[in-house]
Structure formats: structure tokens, C-alpha cells
Amino acid sequence: MPISLNYSSKALAFFAGAIFLLVYWVIGYDGITFSDDVYYLIAGKKFWEGSMQINSHHFSSRWGAYGPAGFLGMVVGFDPHRVSLISGLSYVISLGLLIRILPKESNPILLSLWFCTQVFFLHFLTKVYPDSLLILWVSLIGFSAIYRQKQPIWAAFGIIAGLFIGFMTKETIVFLAPFPFFLALWDWKKSQFSMPFYGSVMGFGVLVLALYLGYFAWFYGDPLYRISSINAGHYISEYTYADKGMTAILRRITYLPILTFVERGYWLWLVMSIPGVLLAWKKGQNEGVVFSLLSGCLLLGFWLMSSTLAFYNPIYLNPRHLIILIPGLAFLIALGWNFWEENQSLKKLLLILFALGIGISLFQQDWKMAGFQLAIGTVLFWNKVQMKLPIIAILLLVPSLAAVRYQKTIKDYNGFMDSLEKNLEDSKNQTPILTHNFIHFSREVLVLEDTIKQKLLLPIEKLDSLKSHLPSEIRVFLYDYYKHAYPKEQEDVDRLEQFLLENYTQVEVRQEGLTNTRRFQKRN
């Protein structure tokens, strides 16, 4: 039976979800990723100090990513965990927007549950990444489109604001560029085409585009400067396809996305959103149509979009990039929940897709993912199971909470920071410290406002620069987390060990958790 819930139920669902996200933000923090987040943290700080400049690095024009983070850092202090609260605000506001527009016959608890439990979605709750902020702009675009008949001007403004600020945050928002066009086709077919709305979308869009391109034309002499910087930023790696031939591209745009969705835990969300999509098309439900089109545009973009306009290279399906799917999918899951429960043929379709996901996990020997899908499927589709919703909630929460323990075990970030600080606390000791490249890259975040200590950290990859003038004494600081996150640095570590064996004698060693500190003296 459909469930009718009042505003108090929506408030309960929102506050339950918001409190869970806040608690997860507190307990789930496992440190920086030693990667792109370092750039955004530093850029945000420089932006509000007035020293940040746009350059050929395409991250530098992502004002929407580092601007808000830097502002929050000014308010609460430049600490990576505190600054990541900007991601938490993005998530909480997005949840509020979605619950606000959820039809009264749908259960907001379901929306809150499915919004708050995807493992990768939660992982970046405590990080400073543009993908986390895109959650808000994607949600705003869907939210605004709901009101295109009642408040056409404001709805158009919300959509263009979401697209524009989203583009200044990260370019993947262009996946939603076709969204207004598909929505217009639907409205035209249903004789609901609103000229004030679509005229405003066109007007606001042209105005914003002219101002944006005009800015780069005036200050950089090229209206397409940002596009050029994105193309220039492309580089060949294990995650690119164009350099590996047509076979690699065909694999990427055929079955690899499906394998990724299963492996990274998105398959369950995709499958369970199908009833919401079918219900929307069957009944022409405004909310369902909007989020079906929105999610479809995102999926199409992920599946086929190129990472550069210079040639066709499908984007890498990084699980972080996929988190912006969650708002729309969670909304559709809540929308179609009653529909699939009452439709036996639809249940069979979902069962087949669950079986496919389980089969893929078994083929990949991913026993945990196979067991997770099997457990969820059993509870969902076995009629004898009572109290399904509480059991589903527990099953969804277990992996997200287990991920916290797993990340803290393999990373031990607090132990790493304690050990690093011990090595740097003696400012009189100017002995250089050879360490991982990713630690050196992150030095301005790890060691705040202390350039003397920052300069003591030398990257292993620059080892050759020491050979011409060997220091009489040297320290080595290694962090075992590299074996998990940066296994390719093993080559640099092996080269370092050979260098030390040939030129130095070890005089001190200290193992603390995942860190190893050694002191060496030059041989006579």
C-alpha cells in the first residue's frame, strides 16, 4: 500500500539523515588523500589571501571548488578536516532539497537512507573535492526544474545557476547540458511547454555564457582559454584509452562501465532506481520525469563523454566521479519503492539484474560484494522476510561503517601525523628527510605555515640531485600506506634502498605503526 506522510515525517527523515552525515563526518575522517585535495586546499587559502592566479593548470579555474573551501578555512581555521565541512554542508543541503520535493505518497525515510549509505559517496564527505560540491549543484538543478510551471523565472535561474556554478566547480557538470533540451521535448510532447521558463533558460544561459567567455577573452585573450587548458592538461596514463587503441575504447564504452558499477557498489542504486523511472514514464509524474532525465544525462555522459576535445578519449570511471549519481538515484528509489513491490513482472526484472550483479562479483572473486548484493536481494524479494526496511537499513549501513574502520586501519593517519611531527619538531636539526613523493607534494597542508620544516622534506624521485654533493647525515621517513595507495612508488623506494646501501651506514631506526624512520651517516 502507498504510504502517505506529512511534513513532520519529512522533517524526521531530514534530521535523521543530517545527523548521520554529521556523525559520519566526525568519525569517518581518515586524513587527506595526498592528491587533488591538496591542490584545492592550498588554492582556497591563496584565493582568499589574494595570491591565487589562474594559469594553464585547469584546476586553477575551478573557483567553485576551492573558493568556498578557502572561505570556510578562513572562518574555522585551515585544517583539512574542518575545511571538509564544506562537503558536509553540500550533502546536507542537497538532502533537504530532495526531501522537500519528494511527493507525499513516497517515503522520505527511504530517500534519506539511500542518499546516506553509498560507501564512496560517504568517503568523500570528509574530503575537499569538487565532486562533493557538485552534489549540491546537481540537486539544485533537479529541484529547480520541478517548479518550471509554477515559478518559471526562478526555476530557470536555479537551473542556469546550478550549471554555471557547477561548471566553475568541475567540468563534469556539462553532462547535464542536454538536460533542459530533453526536458523541453518532454513538455512539448505533453503539451506543457512553458515559454516563460524555456525563454528564461535561454536568456539566462546566453547572458552567463557571454559574461564567462568575455572574462577569459578580456583577461587572457582567448574566450576558450579554459577549454584549451583542459585539453592541455590531458596526459597519457594507465587510465586513458585513446593511446591504447580502438579495442580499449570499445571495451570502455561497452561492458567496463557495468563492471565498474558493480565493483564500486553503484549497481544496487542503479537497479533499484529503475522502478522510479518506469513509474515516471507510465504516469507522467513531474518529479520522476525530471530526475529520470537528470540521471539519464549523467549516465550517458559518464558512459560516452571524452576527457578532451582534441580527440576522443572516454573519461576514466573513477568511483569518485560517480558520486554525483547518488542524489538522483536515491530520489528515484524512494519514488518507485511501492511500484515494484506491487508489480511481479518488475520484481522478476530486478531479480535478474541482481543475479547479474552477483554473477559479475563472483567472476571477479569479490566475495564481499557478492555477499552484500545477495543479502540485500534476499531481504527485498523473499516475501517471508518481515520488517524489511529496518533490515535493509542495517545492511546498507554496515559496509559504510565498516569502511571507516578499514580506512583507518590501512592508513593510520593520526599515527602518521604524530610520527611526522616528531621528525620535524626539532627546528635546529637541518638534516634533510627523504620521503615519499606524495608526502612531499602535500607538505604545505601537512606542515602549515612553516616553510623551514617544509624544506626539510625531499621527494625520493629527486634522489639524483643529492648524488653530486652527498649530505654527511640523512634521514629517511617511509609510510607503509604507499603500498595501498601508491604502489608504483615501490620502484622509487627500491632505488632509494640501493642508494643508501652504497653510500650510507644506518645508525638509528624507529618503527611507529605504519611509519619507519631511519637515520644514516655518510661513509668515509
Side-chain angles (χ1 to χ4, degrees):
M1 292 290 292
I3 302 172
S4 180
L5 294 147
N6 55 31
Y7 282 105
S8 63
S9 299
K10 284 191 172 185
L12 175 64
F14 170 72
F15 284 114
I19 290 171
F20 173 78
L21 291 172
L22 178 60
V23 171
Y24 200 94
W25 177 82
V26 173
I27 68 171
Y29 181 69
D30 62 344
I32 62 173
T33 65
F34 305 96
S35 186
D36 296 353
D37 57 338
V38 171
Y39 182 94
Y40 297 116
L41 285 162
I42 296 172
K45 186 172 183 290
K46 290 182 177 179
F47 179 78
W48 291 100
E49 291 174 345
S51 60
M52 181 63 193
Q53 295 183 345
I54 295 179
N55 51 51
S56 58
H57 195 305
H58 64 285
F59 284 11
S60 68
S61 53
R62 290 178 175 176
W63 302 307
Y66 59 75
F71 178 77
L72 188 61
M74 283 197 348
V75 174
V76 301
F78 190 71
D79 172 81
H81 189 197
R82 294 179 197 167
V83 175
S84 72
L85 186 59
I86 196 69
S87 298
L89 291 173
S90 170
Y91 281 35
V92 170
I93 296 171
S94 299
L95 178 61
L97 292 176
L98 296 176
I99 288 179
R100 174 68 179 81
I101 57 176
L102 186 70
K104 64 180 181 180
E105 63 269 15
S106 298
N107 188 343
I109 297 295
L110 284 168
L111 171 53
S112 189
L113 177 63
W114 289 87
F115 182 91
C116 294
T117 51
Q118 212 284 334
V119 171
F120 284 98
F121 183 82
L122 287 173
H123 179 69
F124 290 98
L125 169 65
T126 63
K127 305 292 183 289
V128 180
Y129 271 89
D131 310 82
S132 303
L133 296 182
L134 282 186
I135 298 294
L136 175 57
W137 306 123
V138 168
S139 300
L140 176 63
I141 291 169
F143 177 87
S144 300
I146 299 299
Y147 295 98
R148 65 192 183 281
Q149 304 295 340
K150 297 179 180 179
Q151 302 180 44
I153 308 301
W154 281 109
F157 179 79
I159 288 176
I160 296 304
L163 288 171
F164 177 60
I165 302 175
F167 187 73
M168 290 198 301
T169 302
K170 190 175 182 181
E171 299 77 20
T172 46
I173 199 69
V174 299
F175 296 166
L176 291 182
F179 172 70
F181 175 75
F182 290 133
L183 192 60
L185 288 179
W186 172 267
D187 285 345
W188 185 274
K189 179 182 177 181
K190 296 296 181 180
S191 301
Q192 297 174 346
F193 190 88
S194 170
M195 185 57 71
F197 170 72
Y198 289 104
S200 298
V201 168
M202 182 67 70
F204 286 136
V206 170
L207 176 62
V208 167
L209 184 63
L211 291 173
Y212 187 72
L213 296 180
Y215 168 83
F216 283 104
W218 180 267
F219 289 100
Y220 297 91
D222 180 7
L224 301 179
Y225 178 83
R226 188 172 182 190
I227 304 299
S228 301
S229 68
I230 293 171
N231 290 338
H234 176 83
Y235 59 93
I236 294 174
S237 73
E238 60 184 309
Y239 304 120
T240 55
Y241 304 93
D243 55 294
K244 299 174 179 63
M246 184 57 67
T247 301
I249 292 177
L250 289 175
R251 290 174 63 243
R252 164 59 186 80
I253 62 176
T254 51
Y255 67 88
L256 280 182
I258 296 175
L259 299 185
T260 300
F261 293 146
V262 174
E263 182 181 1
R264 301 303 186 178
Y266 290 92
W267 184 251
L268 184 58
W269 273 254
L270 286 165
V271 171
M272 293 308 298
S273 70
I274 292 174
V277 175
L278 296 178
L279 179 65
W281 296 117
K282 179 181 179 180
K283 295 187 175 182
Q285 187 184 49
N286 181 32
E287 294 87 356
V289 168
V290 165
F291 280 93
S292 295
L293 291 174
L294 183 141
S295 299
C297 287
L298 290 176
L299 274 173
L300 186 65
F302 283 126
W303 211 292
L304 299 175
M305 182 66 74
S306 176
S307 63
T308 173
L309 296 181
F311 47 87
Y312 185 60
N313 179 75
I315 65 168
Y316 170 57
L317 286 173
N318 188 317
R320 168 168 52 85
H321 300 162
L322 298 173
I323 66 174
I324 62 174
L325 286 169
I326 295 302
L329 296 180
F331 190 91
L332 289 169
I333 290 171
L335 201 67
W337 194 267
N338 295 316
F339 184 53
W340 72 260
E341 284 191 323
E342 300 167 356
N343 190 316
Q344 291 302 315
S345 60
L346 186 51
K347 268 190 177 182
K348 291 179 182 178
L349 173 62
L350 298 182
L351 269 170
I352 291 171
L353 293 174
F354 260 81
L356 175 61
I358 293 169
I360 291 173
S361 294
L362 291 175
F363 177 77
Q364 295 177 325
Q365 297 185 355
D366 188 347
W367 314 121
K368 291 181 180 178
M369 184 58 69
F372 173 64
Q373 294 179 89
L374 179 61
I376 294 286
T378 300
V379 175
L380 285 175
F381 303 117
W382 193 13
N383 292 330
K384 293 184 179 181
V385 176
Q386 303 297 317
M387 300 180 65
K388 288 188 176 184
L389 186 54
I391 298 175
I392 291 295
I394 293 171
L395 290 175
L396 289 174
L397 286 169
V398 166
S400 60
L401 296 175
V404 174
R405 180 178 177 82
Y406 172 74
Q407 281 296 122
K408 291 193 174 184
T409 299
I410 65 169
K411 199 170 183 178
D412 187 21
Y413 185 76
N414 290 335
F416 157 76
M417 286 299 298
D418 288 342
S419 186
L420 179 63
E421 289 170 6
K422 286 180 183 177
N423 280 282
L424 295 172
E425 64 185 2
D426 184 4
S427 59
K428 295 181 180 180
N429 187 350
Q430 297 299 303
T431 305
I433 302 173
L434 279 168
T435 190
H436 300 286
N437 307 318
F438 65 88
I439 292 178
H440 177 263
F441 170 76
S442 309
R443 64 194 182 281
E444 291 183 58
V445 173
L446 296 172
V447 188
L448 298 176
E449 308 290 350
D450 194 328
T451 56
I452 295 177
K453 291 181 179 180
Q454 291 171 9
K455 289 178 181 179
L456 289 178
L457 297 172
L458 302 178
I460 297 175
E461 65 181 357
K462 301 295 185 181
L463 189 62
D464 290 342
S465 65
L466 296 177
K467 292 182 178 179
S468 59
H469 185 70
L470 295 178
S472 59
E473 187 172 297
I474 200 168
R475 287 177 287 173
V476 174
F477 179 72
L478 298 181
Y479 180 29
D480 283 352
Y481 178 62
Y482 83 91
K483 297 175 183 177
H484 170 80
Y486 300 96
K488 287 189 174 182
E489 287 211 4
Q490 186 62 52
E491 296 180 9
D492 290 330
V493 172
D494 292 341
R495 194 161 57 90
L496 169 65
E497 296 299 336
Q498 185 62 36
F499 167 80
L500 294 171
L501 185 64
E502 294 173 354
N503 299 283
Y504 286 88
T505 300
Q506 179 176 297
V507 294
E508 183 182 350
V509 61
R510 185 173 70 249
Q511 183 74 38
E512 296 176 303
L514 297 180
T515 65
N516 178 272
T517 303
R518 290 174 290 168
R519 187 166 61 88
F520 293 85
Q521 290 183 344
K522 181 182 173 184
R523 290 177 183 167
N524 296 326

